[in-house]
Amino acid sequence: LLIEGAIGNSERELIDYLLRIYSNQLVLMGKGEFDALTGLLNRQAFDDRMKKVMSGEILVGRDGQADGLSFAIIDIDYFKQVNDKFGHLFGDEVLLLMARLMTRSFRQCDMLFRYGGEEFAVLMTHKLDKSLIGLERFRAAVESFEFPQIGHKTVSIGVVEINSQELLSTIIDKADKALYYAKNNGRNRICVNDQGKTDFRA
């Protein structure tokens, strides 16, 4: 603790100046990790966090304890139609509301990302079966939600259980293949890529 009178005015001004710089840096660092529209973690943060989770550099789950890890990619079905019919302003509103539904559906220890465009991603701190419960809760919440002016929308989801021995690029590719399987087989569903085999699980 600083004792009153132990430092002069010039030192105090310098400390205030340095504290302001430090505060500004924290704000800028925070802004660099979050998507400006949705408030979710952005793609840059995704690359950084996932690498650190895979290497064990950062722990996830409650108190750093996770019974497994699952990764899902979420895509809004027929999103281009929203932009084409209603305009990008309404499209942005759909993205924002979708992010809010994600925040309500998943747990605080799950990492939520705006992956790019109309795609989102979730890193869940559970094995596949438990993770599917949260994903289905979110899928159902989206299906029943009425977006202003737009009406109802749905999402397709591809999910994979993370094997720490695999490369991050392999995990993403597996989730991506499950997502496209969901989109090519009716949409509004969750598909799992389990050891190279893709099927429906919800």
Side-chain angles (χ1 to χ4, degrees), residues 176-192:
D176 211 38
K177 284 178 179 172
L179 170 65
Y180 279 96
Y181 191 83
K183 294 186 83 66
N184 292 328
N185 288 273
R187 303 179 192 256
N188 188 27
R189 62 191 62 217
I190 302 165
C191 287
V192 173

Side-chain angles (χ1 to χ4, degrees), residues 53-55 69 161-171 174:
V53 167
M54 295 293 292
S55 67
L69 290 172
E161 188 168 309
I162 291 177
N163 178 349
S164 60
Q165 304 305 311
E166 291 180 321
L167 295 171
L168 177 57
S169 57
T170 303
I171 292 164
K174 282 184 174 181

Side-chain angles (χ1 to χ4, degrees), residues 38-57:
T38 63
L40 300 181
L41 290 163
N42 62 23
R43 182 59 186 266
Q44 183 180 336
F46 169 82
D47 293 335
D48 180 61
R49 299 288 176 90
M50 289 293 285
K51 284 174 186 172
K52 287 179 177 176
V53 167
M54 295 293 292
S55 67
E57 189 176 336

Side-chain angles (χ1 to χ4, degrees), residues 4-151:
E4 189 66 31
I7 59 173
N9 287 336
S10 59
E11 288 89 350
R12 192 174 287 113
E13 286 173 8
L14 177 61
I15 290 169
D16 288 342
Y17 175 70
L18 292 173
L19 285 172
R20 282 199 302 274
I21 290 175
Y22 179 68
S23 297
N24 289 338
Q25 281 293 108
L26 289 178
V27 170
L28 289 171
M29 285 170 65
K31 283 184 178 177
E33 284 196 327
F34 293 96
D35 176 61
L37 176 63
T38 63
L40 300 181
L41 290 163
N42 62 23
R43 182 59 186 266
Q44 183 180 336
F46 169 82
D47 293 335
D48 180 61
R49 299 288 176 90
M50 289 293 285
K51 284 174 186 172
K52 287 179 177 176
V53 167
M54 295 293 292
S55 67
E57 189 176 336
I58 60 173
L59 300 174
V60 291
R62 292 179 181 174
D63 302 320
Q65 299 297 314
D67 62 18
L69 290 172
S70 301
F71 171 69
I73 301 177
I74 300 163
D75 187 80
I76 304 173
D77 295 328
Y78 302 112
F79 181 74
K80 186 176 182 295
Q81 292 179 2
V82 175
N83 284 333
D84 291 346
K85 185 176 180 180
F86 299 97
H88 288 276
L89 191 63
F90 283 99
D92 285 350
E93 185 177 36
V94 169
L95 294 172
L96 177 59
L97 292 170
M98 196 68 68
R100 287 182 182 172
L101 289 171
M102 287 181 72
T103 309
R104 291 177 195 161
S105 300
F106 295 100
R107 302 162 308 151
Q108 276 191 322
C109 53
D110 296 327
M111 292 186 190
L112 311 179
F113 304 90
R114 169 109 182 262
Y115 194 62
E118 68 270 25
E119 284 191 338
F120 298 86
V122 188
L123 175 65
M124 294 157 286
T125 56
H126 274 312
K127 289 187 177 178
L128 195 56
D129 289 343
K130 285 185 180 179
S131 294
L132 283 168
I133 295 169
L135 289 168
E136 173 57 21
R137 182 169 57 240
F138 170 67
R139 188 208 61 77
V142 172
E143 185 181 32
S144 63
F145 186 80
E146 187 160 353
F147 293 86
Q149 303 296 320
I150 308 295

